[in-house]
Amino acid sequence: MKLAICAGPATTGKTAVLRHIIRKLQDSGQRVAFLKIDVQYAEEDEQFAREFGIPTRKVYSGELCPDHCNVMVLGDALQWARKAESDVLLVETAGLCLRCSPYVDGGLGLIVLEATSGMNLPLKVGPMLSLADVAVVTKIDRVSQAEREVFRARIQDVAPGVRIREVNALYGIGIDPLVDHIRAQADAEESMLLRGNPPVGTCTICVGKKEIGWQSHFGVVRALDNQTFYRGE
Amino acid sequence: MIDTITILTGFGRSGELEAVPRIDLKMGDVVSIVGPTGSGKTTFINDIELFADANTPTGRRILINGERPPVEYRDDPARNPIALITQHTTFLSDLPVNEFLHTHARIRITNLAERETAIERTLSFANQLTGEPIALESRMTELSGGQTRALLIADATIICNTPIVLLDEVENAGIHRTRALELLRQYRKIFIFVTHDPRIALLSDYRIVMQRGRITQVLHTDAEERQLASVVSRLDDILSSLRDKIRLGERLTSLELEGVA
Ligand SMILES: Nc1nc2c(ncn2[C@@H]2O[C@H](COP(=O)(O)OP(=O)(O)O)[C@@H](O)[C@H]2O)c(=O)[nH]1
Ligand SMILES: Nc1ncnc2c1ncn2[C@@H]1O[C@H](COP(=O)(O)OP(=O)(O)O)[C@@H](O)[C@H]1O
Ligand SMILES: [Mg+2]
Ligand SMILES: [Mg+2]
Ligand SMILES: [Zn+2]
């Protein structure tokens, strides 16, 4: 089973992009599962379950940072998606930490940025951009070609190794290369690591324990099925 | 080298096939796209710029030199043979003009020496089209609609300097349109103008007529129209001179219309 994690600021078009990706994966006979991670409100899981009839889940991170929540619940989520016999697990997350990355080694990391956001956004999103595999630029229909190209250059300046894909997520233009990236991804391993180096902090993730799954962490943790709970040692 | 661009046509909003199966444009061709508002003119040139491959709502496909365009055209702006001047009259970009142009030149122009002079030439081109000159230090977001369009036209012509240029309704831009046409025509390129302007339409080799999202006709400029072209240009010049005088706070006299009325 393949894993792709899609992060990005609110309203950049993550859900719109994923909707086209799911449709194309389904058309080619792939079974998709979807997990949405948000702070306090989300309905993407219900939408996608209705539109595509696929297994979906959501988890509210509440007082946890969504990136940390992702680390906690992803182990369970992979098991859940495997049990549902999915070929691809897609995760949508707000990626609010801006210090940690929302991506894991062994999964495709997609950041969704909007061409309308202003030229400094690429400088502000930290590891969410620099540790991504692909930067998806949406809303190219709303800006001139020149602005689109300068926005691309600003991304490249911050993250020279990241592939840039421009899309119009209203009409699904430019989605095929993203689907190809997911197809080319190796299957997710049983145990995986959070990408990058978290900043110094007080939680087990912030202090650098990068193992995916709450079972590897202590203090305030989160399982996919439960509210946050304390796991002491 | 780009010699031709081909549009394999698709279908209109109601699913009806377009009136011609394909359109082939050769280097040096000047073509207009005409049709009522909402008829799909912008969509047509967007399809070209996106190198549509039956993956847009129109089902059109674009070939360059008879073949599917290589992916580098989209991945590397320095190799993209198309410059599109959209209808946008505002920039969302929060950069100073100088930095914007430098950044764009950096990714569009690989030759360093050319890059430096390109910025100056772009600014001087743009300032020939606007009433109020653009300063390199101004912020992009402060530019007026006309200044924005002027800068985009100049940027496309000099910084992009591509063999194919697509222009969406330049006449509505509040710029010196006649001057823009003169400047643009110094370059040998494929020009596609979306336009309502008889002067631009008559200076084209042919015009593509759109309705309800589909091409309904391709009209070649005929001998009679070619003869009309010079009169249309004269009328147009008279009207622009009237416009300029009004702008500058001058009075109009009956002398202006001599030979017309
Ligand atoms: N014009 C335009 N609008 C878009 C595009 N992508 C997304 N949107 C719109 O942006 C809004 C937010 O998109 P959504 O996918 O919900 O963003 P998310 O919060 O990142 O999941 C919606 O109204 C979308 O229709 C695009 O490429 N072009
Ligand atoms: N062939 C087509 N099939 C479906 N929708 C189309 C087609 N051509 C145009 N449209 C839609 O029609 C609307 C108006 O088109 P647009 O290109 O903006 O018109 P114009 O530039 O002539 O005013 C747009 O929403 C566009 O997406
Ligand atoms: Mg969303
Ligand atoms: Mg239009
Ligand atoms: Zn963090």
Side-chain angles (χ1 to χ4, degrees):
Chain A
M1 187 182 67
K2 300 175 193 306
L3 168 68
I5 297 178
C6 179
T11 75
T12 52
K14 299 180 291 300
T15 305
V17 167
L18 288 173
R19 175 175 286 117
H20 290 289
I21 291 180
I22 295 173
R23 185 171 303 132
K24 288 190 186 261
L25 284 170
Q26 265 195 339
D27 285 352
S28 66
Q30 303 268 301
R31 277 162 308 189
V32 183
F34 173 78
L35 170 67
K36 165 74 191 183
I37 300 173
D38 216 310
V39 181
Q40 51 187 12
Y41 181 76
E43 53 181 32
E44 283 88 343
D45 56 325
E46 289 151 42
Q47 286 172 16
F48 285 168
R50 216 171 28 240
E51 287 172 39
F52 300 107
I54 57 172
T56 66
R57 292 289 302 257
K58 84 177 137 213
V59 55
Y60 291 140
S61 59
E63 57 292 336
L64 267 188
C65 145
D67 291 343
H68 294 188
C69 185
N70 183 23
V71 174
M72 294 291 183
V73 306
L74 195 58
D76 293 349
L78 284 162
Q79 273 186 11
W80 160 75
R82 280 200 185 97
K83 207 173 279 168
E85 300 191 325
S86 309
D87 302 305
V88 181
L89 171 62
L90 297 177
V91 181
E92 174 180 342
T93 171
L96 287 179
C97 181
L98 302 186
R99 301 175 302 153
C100 295
S101 94
Y103 315 115
V104 300
D105 282 330
L108 185 72
L110 299 167
I111 180 168
V112 177
L113 296 172
E114 49 188 356
T116 49
S117 66
M119 294 295 167
N120 290 326
L121 186 72
L123 314 179
K124 292 177 186 163
V125 291
M128 181 156 69
L129 171 59
S130 57
L131 294 178
D133 298 298
V134 181
V136 183
V137 178
T138 56
K139 309 195 186 179
I140 56 171
D141 51 310
R142 306 272 316 279
V143 299
S144 58
Q145 185 195 40
E147 272 195 288
R148 196 179 82 207
E149 291 181 0
V150 170
F151 191 68
R152 169 184 273 269
R154 302 285 283 191
I155 295 175
Q156 250 162 9
D157 290 346
V158 182
V162 175
R163 308 289 300 262
I164 301 170
R165 300 289 178 210
E166 291 157 346
V167 306
N168 172 339
L170 280 189
Y171 290 125
I173 298 164
I175 299 290
D176 287 330
L178 302 179
V179 176
D180 293 342
H181 283 302
I182 294 174
R183 286 224 187 82
Q185 182 67 28
D187 281 336
E189 309 267 331
E190 282 298 327
S191 69
M192 291 188 295
L193 285 185
L194 177 66
R195 216 176 268 183
N197 293 309
V200 175
T202 49
C203 83
T204 43
I205 300 160
C206 282
V207 297
K209 267 182 78 61
K210 303 196 287 185
E211 285 81 2
I212 297 301
W214 59 267
Q215 293 87 346
S216 310
H217 295 273
F218 300 100
V220 177
V221 300
R222 166 76 57 92
L224 185 57
D225 287 324
N226 291 306
Q227 275 310 303
T228 312
F229 61 96
Y230 184 80
R231 188 160 178 264
E233 192 189 30
Chain B
M1 271 302 285
I2 300 226
D3 299 313
T4 63
I5 171 164
T6 303
I7 298 112
L8 302 176
T9 59
F11 24 83
R13 225 175 278 132
S14 55
E16 203 185 337
L17 278 180
E18 300 193 87
V20 292
R22 62 188 284 158
I23 289 177
D24 296 279
L25 300 168
K26 294 186 307 297
M27 184 46 65
D29 281 356
V30 179
V31 177
S32 290
I33 318 291
V34 300
T37 300
S39 60
K41 304 181 295 295
T42 298
T43 306
F44 183 86
I45 56 171
N46 279 344
D47 278 345
I48 298 177
E49 196 263 340
L50 290 164
F51 303 108
D53 189 20
N55 55 356
T56 67
T58 66
R60 295 186 186 117
R61 292 174 54 204
I62 307 302
L63 306 178
I64 302 279
N65 295 342
E67 287 172 23
R68 272 171 79 159
V71 285
E72 294 85 68
Y73 285 2
R74 283 316 300 274
D75 278 354
D76 179 4
R79 302 188 52 183
N80 185 347
I82 292 182
L84 167 67
I85 297 144
T86 46
Q87 277 176 297
H88 297 98
T89 50
T90 51
F91 283 112
L92 299 169
S93 170
D94 37 16
L95 294 178
V97 172
N98 199 13
E99 189 175 354
F100 185 91
L101 294 179
H102 268 99
T103 312
H104 201 205
R106 178 154 58 80
I107 58 167
R108 271 283 187 173
I109 307 175
T110 37
N111 181 316
L112 275 174
E114 274 176 37
R115 215 182 265 172
E116 275 316 306
T117 60
I119 312 286
E120 271 167 52
R121 286 169 52 224
T122 302
L123 197 70
S124 105
F125 187 124
N127 282 338
Q128 292 182 57
L129 308 182
T130 56
E132 302 279 329
I134 301 165
L136 277 177
E137 308 76 51
S138 7
R139 302 198 76 82
M140 303 285 288
T141 44
E142 289 165 4
L143 303 182
S144 72
Q147 288 175 320
T148 302
R149 293 299 294 271
L151 195 63
L152 284 173
I153 293 173
D155 170 274
T157 314
I158 292 166
I159 292 182
C160 298
N161 190 19
T162 50
I164 303 164
V165 180
L166 316 173
L167 301 101
D168 205 347
E169 300 197 20
V170 272
E171 65 265 27
N172 291 350
I175 56 165
H176 294 305
R177 187 180 30 115
T178 317
R179 186 80 190 114
L181 291 179
E182 277 167 25
L183 287 171
L184 288 171
R185 284 183 63 97
Q186 294 171 0
Y187 297 82
R188 189 177 140 80
K189 297 168 186 281
I190 295 176
F191 283 107
I192 304 183
F193 287 93
V194 169
T195 190
H196 300 291
D197 184 330
R199 182 177 197 165
I200 299 177
L202 290 187
L203 135 185
S204 314
D205 300 301
Y206 53 94
R207 48 195 193 268
I208 295 171
V209 186
M210 312 263 336
Q211 231 166 33
R212 281 183 233 101
R214 68 186 274 274
I215 297 172
T216 56
Q217 275 188 88
V218 177
L219 287 179
H220 284 261
T221 309
D222 64 18
E224 188 172 351
E225 284 176 333
R226 284 199 191 287
Q227 285 201 321
L228 284 179
S230 66
V231 186
V232 169
S233 297
R234 218 167 61 230
L235 284 172
D236 188 51
D237 286 341
I238 292 172
L239 278 175
S240 0
S241 116
L242 293 182
R243 228 176 270 127
D244 285 345
K245 290 200 164 149
I246 297 269
R247 259 195 210 114
L248 294 173
E250 293 172 23
R251 289 212 170 273
L252 306 183
T253 67
S254 53
L255 277 179
E256 332 268 353
L257 295 183
E258 230 160 51
V260 184

